Amino acid sequence: MNKNIGKVDKIVRIIVGVAIIAYGVMTNSWLGVIGLIPLGTALIGWCPLYCPLKINTTCDKESCKKD
């Protein structure tokens, strides 16, 4: 399981996850549970949906060389 979530992607996922959870708590609905998905994927650094789509937002040494 290689990490496929980069730094910016991780920050966005944490913000969105916390916002969805907060909304679910404020409205007293089960929608907040959905917020655990982006929050969990951000914390482990791996998104299962990125694998079949061949998306990788991490910055490895070759793809992020500064010119």
Side-chain angles (χ1 to χ4, degrees), residues 1-66:
M1 184 168 80
N2 294 331
K3 295 190 184 257
N4 59 6
I5 295 178
K7 192 175 193 178
V8 174
D9 193 5
K10 186 178 285 195
I11 292 169
V12 171
R13 285 173 183 264
I14 291 172
I15 291 169
V16 169
V18 169
I20 293 172
I21 292 170
Y23 178 77
V25 169
M26 288 189 314
T27 60
N28 198 21
S29 71
W30 284 94
L31 180 66
V33 176
I34 295 173
L36 293 175
I37 296 170
L39 191 59
T41 56
L43 293 176
I44 64 173
W46 180 75
C47 179
L49 187 59
Y50 278 7
C51 290
L53 297 176
K54 297 187 185 335
I55 298 173
N56 189 346
T57 60
T58 59
C59 185
D60 59 359
K61 293 178 183 177
E62 293 179 0
S63 66
C64 292
K65 286 184 179 177
K66 294 183 180 179

